[in-house]
C-alpha cells in the first residue's frame, strides 16, 4: 500500500490538472470515491485544476455533481479512475487521453489498465480506500464534512448499510471516523433509500413475480414489456435488485433487465462465490455481487443454469 500510495501522490503533486473518472452505471461507491478524492485534493491543492467526470445517475444526484470539460483539458493531465475493474466499464472514453493513468479499485484485479494500479480487494469499497489514502498522508485533519459525507455514503452503499460480509472491523472504524464530521447522516441515508412513488407498483410486481426454486436459486426477469407497463427506465428497475434479498432460503439470485441492446444481469449471493460464473460470461465483480450482460433470453437461461449449478 505504501509504495503505490506514495507513487500516486507524487504524480498528483507533479500534475497541474487531475481528472477523475469512475464506472458506467454508477452506484454510491462510484460517486463517493470519485467525489471524495476530488474534494480532498481540492482542499490539499487549491491551486490545481481538479475535475470529476462521467454520466450521472438521477437517483444519486443528491450526492454531488460532475464537471463538463473539453478534450483539451486532458493535455498533460493525470487521469485517475476509481472503482472500475476493467477499462470497457470506465465512464467517459477520454480516460486514456492524459499523460498518465492511475487505477484505484477494490474489485478483483483482472484488468490492470493503469500505469499505476492500486487494488485492494479486501476493502469494502473504493471509498474506504480513498479514506485510507487520505489517512496515509496524515490528512484527515484537513478534510471537511463534504469529503466525509460522500465517502460515508460510498461505504454505506457498497456494504448494504453494513449488512454485507465485506464489512470488516476496519470498515467500521473508518465509518466511525467519518461520522465525527458535521453532516446529517440520518438525512443522507434517508435520501439514499428514497424512491419515486411511481416506482412502488413495480416493486410490488417484483415481489409477486420472482422464480425461486427448492435449492435457493431465484430469477427475476424484467422484459421491455414490463418496463413499458410500469413506465419506468431500465436503470430505475435495477434499483430493486435487492427487493427479494430477505426471502428465507434464498442463496443466489439474478435480476435481469432488458435494456434494449442487451440484457443486464445483476447477480447476488449469500456467502457463495458467483463472480467466477459472471467472468465466464464476460462480466465480473465481487464474490457475492457481480454483473454481466447477455445478448438474449436464451443466453440468460444458460447463465441462470450455471448459477443454479453452483448450488
Amino acid at each position: 500500500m505504501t509504495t503505490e500510495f506514495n507513487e500516486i501522490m507524487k504524480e498528483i503533486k507533479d500534475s497541474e490538472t487531475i481528472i477523475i473518472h469512475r464506472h458506467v452505471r454508477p452506484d454510491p461507491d462510484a460517486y463517493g470515491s470519485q467525489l471524495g478524492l476530488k474534494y480532498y485534493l481540492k482542499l490539499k491543492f487549491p491551486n490545481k485544476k481538479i475535475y470529476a467526470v462521467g454520466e450521472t445517475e438521477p437517483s444519486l444526484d443528491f450526492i454531488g455533481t460532475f464537471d463538463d470539460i473539453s478534450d483539451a483539458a486532458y493535455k498533460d493531465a493525470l487521469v485517475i479512475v476509481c472503482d472500475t475493474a476493467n477499462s470497457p466499464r470506465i465512464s467517459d472514453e477520454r480516460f486514456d487521453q492524459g499523460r498518465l493513468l492511475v487505477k484505484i479499485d477494490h474489485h478483483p484485479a483482472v484488468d490492470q489498465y493503469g500505469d499505476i494500479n492500486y487494488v485492494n480487494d479486501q476493502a469494502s469499497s473504493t471509498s474506504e480506500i480513498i479514506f485510507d489514502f487520505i489517512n496515509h498522508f496524515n490528512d484527515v485533519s484537513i478534510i471537511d464534512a463534504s469529503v466525509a459525507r460522500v465517502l460515508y455514503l460510498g461505504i454505506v452503499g457498497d456494504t448494504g448499510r453494513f449488512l454485507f460480509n465485506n464489512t470488516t472491523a476496519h470498515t467500521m472504524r473508518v465509518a466511525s471516523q467519518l461520522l465525527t464530521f458535521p453532516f446529517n447522516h440520518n438525512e443522507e441515508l434517508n435520501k439514499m433509500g428514497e424512491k419515486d412513488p411511481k416506482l412502488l407498483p413495480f416493486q410490488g410486481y417484483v415481489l409477486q413475480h420472482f422464480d425461486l426454486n427448492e435449492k435457493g436459486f431465484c430469477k427475476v426477469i424484467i422484459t421491455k414489456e414490463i418496463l413499458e407497463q410500469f413506465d419506468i427506465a431500465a436503470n430505475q428497475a435495477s434499483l430493486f435488485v435487492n427487493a427479494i434479498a430477505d426471502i428465507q432460503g434464498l442463496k443466489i439470485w439474478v435480476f435481469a433487465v432488458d435494456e434494449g441492446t442487451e440484457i443486464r444481469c445483476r447477480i447476488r449471493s449469500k456467502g457463495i462465490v458467483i463472480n467466477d460464473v459472471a467472468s465466464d460470461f464476460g462480466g465480473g465483480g465481487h464474490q457475492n455481487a457481480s454483473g454481466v450482460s447477455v445478448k438474449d433470453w436464451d443466453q440468460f437461461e444458460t447463465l441462470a443454469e450455471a448459477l443454479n449449478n453452483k448450488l
Side-chain angles (χ1 to χ4, degrees):
M1 177 175 76
T2 300
T3 300
E4 290 91 343
F5 279 1
N6 290 342
E7 289 178 1
I8 294 169
M9 184 57 79
K10 178 183 182 301
E11 295 300 335
I12 290 170
K13 289 179 177 178
D14 289 345
S15 303
E16 290 304 312
T17 302
I18 297 126
I19 305 172
I20 309 170
H21 290 241
R22 36 81 177 152
H23 61 75
V24 296
R25 300 187 183 93
D27 56 16
D29 187 35
Y31 266 58
S33 57
Q34 182 189 28
L35 291 174
L37 180 59
K38 174 187 172 179
Y39 298 162
Y40 156 60
L41 292 179
K42 286 183 74 69
L43 289 168
K44 188 175 177 70
F45 303 106
N47 294 323
K48 293 184 184 294
K49 292 176 285 188
I50 304 169
Y51 306 109
V53 300
E55 90 280 14
T56 61
E57 164 53 49
S59 66
L60 300 176
D61 280 349
F62 75 95
I63 298 179
T65 59
F66 298 91
D67 301 300
D68 184 10
I69 62 175
S70 68
D71 294 350
Y74 283 83
K75 180 177 174 55
D76 297 324
L78 173 66
V79 178
I80 302 176
V81 181
C82 293
D83 196 42
T84 311
N86 49 11
S87 57
R89 296 202 69 228
I90 302 173
S91 180
D92 195 323
E93 295 179 351
R94 298 176 294 175
F95 69 89
D96 61 355
Q97 299 302 304
R99 69 168 183 85
L100 193 81
L101 182 62
V102 173
K103 172 186 179 180
I104 302 177
D105 191 29
H106 74 127
H107 297 90
V110 177
D111 179 4
Q112 296 290 65
Y113 52 78
D115 299 301
I116 302 174
N117 300 281
Y118 178 77
V119 176
N120 177 6
D121 60 9
Q122 300 303 303
S124 70
S125 55
T126 305
S127 294
E128 181 179 310
I129 292 173
I130 297 302
F131 180 84
D132 288 339
F133 182 76
I134 295 168
N135 191 49
H136 174 73
F137 296 102
N138 298 311
D139 282 343
V140 174
S141 61
I142 74 167
I143 65 173
D144 59 15
S146 69
V147 180
R149 170 182 169 272
V150 295
L151 293 181
Y152 182 76
L153 290 174
I155 293 170
V156 167
D158 255 25
T159 60
R161 301 190 180 218
F162 308 108
L163 292 175
F164 298 163
N165 62 3
N166 61 345
T167 304
T168 65
H170 179 67
T171 305
M172 300 303 285
R173 285 192 293 270
V174 170
S176 68
Q177 287 182 268
L178 294 173
L179 286 175
T180 64
F181 289 84
F183 67 95
N184 189 330
H185 71 280
N186 287 325
E187 181 179 325
E188 297 297 334
L189 294 186
N190 286 337
K191 290 178 185 176
M192 184 180 287
E194 286 177 352
K195 293 182 176 65
D196 189 320
K198 80 169 190 177
L199 300 181
L200 297 186
F202 174 74
Q203 182 178 22
Y205 176 89
V206 171
L207 294 174
Q208 295 178 69
H209 292 84
F210 59 85
D211 181 6
L212 176 69
N213 69 18
E214 72 284 351
K215 294 166 66 175
F217 173 66
C218 186
K219 298 183 290 185
V220 177
I221 294 174
I222 307 299
T223 64
K224 288 186 292 184
E225 291 73 22
I226 294 168
L227 293 176
E228 292 170 0
Q229 176 186 341
F230 291 95
D231 189 26
I232 66 171
N235 66 311
Q236 292 175 312
S238 70
L239 298 174
F240 296 92
V241 61
N242 289 319
I244 61 168
D246 294 332
I247 295 175
Q248 186 176 19
L250 180 66
K251 296 177 181 176
I252 296 175
W253 66 103
V254 55
F255 191 94
V257 180
D258 191 337
E259 297 191 347
T261 58
E262 62 186 12
I263 297 166
R264 183 64 182 172
C265 305
R266 292 166 174 83
I267 309 166
R268 302 291 185 267
S269 74
K270 296 183 178 180
I272 298 168
V273 175
I274 44 82
N275 60 346
D276 53 348
V277 176
S279 178
D280 289 343
F281 285 79
H286 301 293
Q287 292 186 347
N288 305 128
S290 294
V292 61
S293 294
V294 296
K295 62 182 180 180
D296 54 37
W297 289 112
D298 288 338
Q299 189 179 18
F300 167 76
E301 290 299 335
T302 305
L303 169 68
E305 182 180 0
L307 291 167
N308 186 52
N309 288 339
K310 294 288 288 188
L311 299 174

